[in-house]
Amino acid sequence: METDINSQDRKDLDKFIKFFALKFNLAIKDIPEVTHEAKKALAGQLPAIGRSMCVEISLKTSEGDSMELEIWCLEMNEKCDKEIKISYTVYNRLSLLLKSLLAITRVTPAYRLSRKQGHEYVILYRIYFGEVQLNGLGEGFQTVRVGTVGTPMGTITLSCAYRINLAFMSTRQFERTPPIMGIIIDHFVDRPYPSSSPMHPCNYRTTGEDTGVTYPSVEDSQEVCTTSFSTSPPSQCVFTVTKAHFQTPTPVVTDTLRVPMAGLAFSHQLSSSRLSYQPAALGVGSADLAYPVVFAAGLNTTHPHQLMVPGKEGGVPLAPNQPAHGAQADQERLATYTPSDGAHCAATPSSEDTETVSNSSEGRASPHDVLETIFARKVGAFVNKPINQVTLTSLDIPFAMFAPKNLELEDADPMVNPPDSPDTESPLQGSLHSDGSSGGSSGNTHDDFVMIDFKPAFSKDDILPMDLGTFYREFQNPPQLSSLSIDIGAQSMAEDLDSLPEKLAVHEKNVREFDAFVETLQ
Amino acid sequence: MNCRSEVLEVSVEGRQVEEAMLAVLHTVLLHRSTGKFHYKKEGTYSIGTVGTQDVDCDFIDFTYVRVSSDELDRALRKVVGEFKDALRNSGGDGLGQMSLEFYQKKKSRWPFSDECIPWEVWTVKVHVVALATEQERQICREKVGEKLCEKVINIVEVMNRHEYLPKMPMQSEVDNVFDTGLRDVQPYLYKISFQITDALGTSVTTTMRRLIKDTLAL
């Protein structure tokens, strides 16, 4: 191109443009890697006509999906301004342009995303020369012309094209706090683009914590589960949704039961405790069939606040792993037996509960024994089972009979109807209307009962994999522990009973030793 | 030479007034400030560097860039604070405006005082809304953030039209063009004023005050 520009001016112009491309009169802290990359891309050349310098900003998720967010483009065109003074006007204008660039970078949607990058996604940049590629920005992208500076050699234009349509990943996803599970992020990817330069991360601002955090998965979510259980007071509902989620608590539960040591009562205790250990799939409700209406009655009168709308799910909290330690710790069971139980128990529902039925009849065998346990239940929020349709016979969840009794309690409970989930109805309502909730099919006693509308407490919208809800769904049907199966239980119980007299005899023989031992303790 | 005038309008909640005004003023001043001039013997000068920093707003989902000059920041905060208080105390509809005026001083002969000739005026009109629920406030946060993004883009577009700017002065006249009173940055001479409009849309008090001041200044 012919110009009247003299060599000094030209040198200056080149210098200014180069500095602009790198940094310019502003105290901008250089990030060495970026400078290095930029210099490499420049490779001793400058933006020229037809050869724009482009910086592409894109986002890459932990799953490997990527999306271009912005393309900044420094172009040169043919329109010359011969009159302009380089060392003065062009310099100042380029300086102004750089300030504008700074201001505009905080204004594009990608900026907010970049401030929140971390576990779920990272922001990458790529510098290349050549034709600007706007295809990856999706439909309806917007362009901002940051500024132009005319020079004797052409007009420099800086523009930014940024994506508007963040549809394929919901923007909400990026506005969340880091998830429970960390994700391994692969930063460097070779992109199949014309100038296939590698992408680099822009995460200089991140807290620098665990970009390489591995998948803590289950443990963490379990902790979440348990935390929500143990720390929530009895009057608050805990998440559980379907019986499917009910997992048998460990035998620790029995510790909380005060049991008279009468033989029969003992056996009854055993049976009840074992019954309560039925996995949900088997229809836990059967266990609770052994504790019929009296339960409800007793509880309602004595511990109205403690009794949360139970029956809807496993009354025993469903933390998949540590179930009810926390929960049970502050619970005691109250149950009284009456002969009438038999009648109720007879109406055992589920087909799969033959064993439990037999056990419940065992329980019934000692009607006059009173199990003194005080029971306070926690029941999950977002329960979707229709309460009023729940009957003893139809639900395979423990304490199912309590379900209809405590509508008002649950309604008023903030845990059940958390205000921060606007699109979650009261589980009661949900269940009453049976809206889209598979729990609505009351009376279903399927083993593979699947909750469609499950929204566990304390969980956010589950777009992420392996969040609370997904976890529950995955672990809601564990196989029954063999040691807790009824057959074995029944057998061993019988054996225990048989061996009792012998044991007693042995103990009596050693009475003196025991006494001496006790003396030493005192 | 005509003074060019730009007007921006924003609707914000009461607690957002300060941040919104600061965002706009700082963005404008970022473009209208340079480093301190260091004049050398041969009549040339070098320009010091200017640092920048990000400011995150607390009540608006927005971040803006300002020059790293605490003095300048303090000066702006002071006047914005006065504006905010005046708005609050005015009652009424919560309508007001701030003007950022860049001017040049022209020395006049005695007894006349120096003339201030504005060459660029930025006016920001503010409408304060009152919101009832938290949800509305949250939406307002985002909306105002988006609006301010648009304002920044507008400001940048105006700045890059490269219209009239005062000539770089000789050392002797630098004070006629630039505010050299700050230690770390040198903005063009500017002044900030504000007005609260009452229900009738006329600003009574400040206009009167200005008239009197101007008359006395002559």
Side-chain angles (χ1 to χ4, degrees), chain B residues 97-101 118 121-123 191-195 203-218:
Chain B
Q97 65 182 48
M98 286 193 88
S99 296
L100 170 61
E101 182 185 297
V121 177
W122 294 85
T123 306
K191 61 178 144 190
I192 301 178
S193 58
F194 61 83
Q195 297 170 349
S203 63
V204 182
T205 338
T206 32
T207 320
M208 288 308 300
R209 222 183 276 144
R210 227 195 221 174
L211 275 174
I212 295 165
K213 248 197 198 168
D214 290 347
T215 325
L216 289 175
L218 284 171

Side-chain angles (χ1 to χ4, degrees), chain A residues 25-28 88 91-93 96-97 99-108 111-112 115 144-149 162 175 205, chain B residues 27 30-34 45 47-52 54 56 61-65 148-149 152-153 156-157 159-160 162 166-168:
Chain A
N25 184 43
L26 290 179
I28 302 170
Y88 168 76
Y91 180 94
N92 286 331
R93 288 186 182 180
L96 198 71
L97 187 59
K99 290 174 190 166
S100 301
L101 165 68
L102 283 177
I104 296 284
T105 49
R106 299 335 185 229
V107 147
T108 57
Y111 176 72
R112 291 193 63 201
R115 288 290 294 268
V144 174
R145 188 200 278 187
V146 181
T148 57
V149 176
Y162 58 92
E175 284 160 15
R205 194 197 276 259
Chain B
T27 304
L30 169 72
H31 290 84
R32 293 286 180 247
S33 305
T34 68
Y45 62 93
I47 309 178
T49 47
V50 174
T52 60
D54 289 351
D56 295 329
D61 287 344
F62 183 68
T63 303
Y64 61 92
V65 181
L148 286 176
C149 290
V152 166
I153 294 175
V156 161
E157 279 170 358
M159 293 296 181
N160 279 274
H162 302 303
K167 264 170 59 173
M168 286 299 150

Side-chain angles (χ1 to χ4, degrees), chain A residues 203-313:
Chain A
N203 56 348
Y204 300 103
R205 194 197 276 259
T206 53
T207 53
E209 9 166 308
D210 33 9
T211 48
V213 163
T214 52
Y215 206 84
S217 72
V218 175
E219 293 78 35
D220 281 356
S221 55
Q222 284 179 356
E223 278 167 21
V224 171
C225 299
T226 52
T227 310
S228 63
F229 272 109
S230 56
T231 55
S232 51
S235 64
Q236 289 182 0
C237 283
V238 189
F239 66 84
T240 60
V241 186
T242 59
K243 66 171 172 84
H245 293 282
F246 179 85
Q247 231 186 3
T248 65
T250 64
V252 164
V253 174
T254 54
D255 296 338
T256 65
L257 304 179
R258 289 178 279 137
V259 178
M261 284 306 287
L264 278 178
F266 181 71
S267 67
H268 180 74
Q269 165 59 31
L270 276 177
S271 74
S272 63
S273 55
R274 282 181 204 265
L275 285 173
S276 67
Y277 296 148
Q278 293 314 305
L282 276 196
V284 191
S286 58
D288 306 299
L289 292 180
Y291 304 80
V293 185
V294 183
F295 243 120
L299 281 169
N300 276 342
T301 51
T302 59
H303 304 280
H305 297 295
Q306 284 175 349
L307 181 60
M308 297 327 288
V309 193
K312 281 187 275 183
E313 16 278 342

Side-chain angles (χ1 to χ4, degrees), chain A residues 149-160:
Chain A
V149 176
T151 75
M153 304 215 16
T155 300
I156 298 169
T157 307
L158 178 64
S159 60
C160 169

Side-chain angles (χ1 to χ4, degrees), chain A residues 81-201:
Chain A
D81 184 348
K82 303 234 168 83
E83 308 301 324
I84 204 165
K85 276 196 74 178
I86 293 200
S87 64
Y88 168 76
T89 312
V90 172
Y91 180 94
N92 286 331
R93 288 186 182 180
L94 283 175
S95 157
L96 198 71
L97 187 59
L98 197 58
K99 290 174 190 166
S100 301
L101 165 68
L102 283 177
I104 296 284
T105 49
R106 299 335 185 229
V107 147
T108 57
Y111 176 72
R112 291 193 63 201
L113 290 177
S114 76
R115 288 290 294 268
K116 293 179 179 122
Q117 63 178 305
H119 294 281
E120 300 179 30
Y121 61 91
V122 277
I123 303 291
L124 308 173
Y125 73 91
R126 183 169 74 98
I127 306 176
Y128 64 88
F129 270 78
E131 291 290 324
V132 59
Q133 320 256 343
L134 296 175
N135 310 328
L137 291 175
E139 286 178 15
F141 63 86
Q142 292 218 357
T143 309
V144 174
R145 188 200 278 187
V146 181
T148 57
V149 176
T151 75
M153 304 215 16
T155 300
I156 298 169
T157 307
L158 178 64
S159 60
C160 169
Y162 58 92
R163 170 186 279 269
I164 301 284
N165 181 17
L166 292 161
F168 98 83
M169 300 174 199
S170 145
T171 47
R172 276 183 315 146
Q173 179 179 359
F174 303 118
E175 284 160 15
R176 298 153 59 143
T177 52
I180 301 162
M181 336 270 190
I183 296 157
I184 297 173
I185 298 168
D186 187 316
H187 288 218
F188 294 92
V189 168
D190 272 338
R191 296 191 30 127
Y193 256 101
S195 19
S196 60
S197 42
M199 305 290 292
H200 301 278

Side-chain angles (χ1 to χ4, degrees), chain B residues 79-94:
Chain B
V79 72
V80 168
E82 290 168 10
F83 173 64
K84 188 187 75 169
D85 293 337
L87 257 184
R88 208 188 313 150
N89 298 334
S90 72
D93 297 340

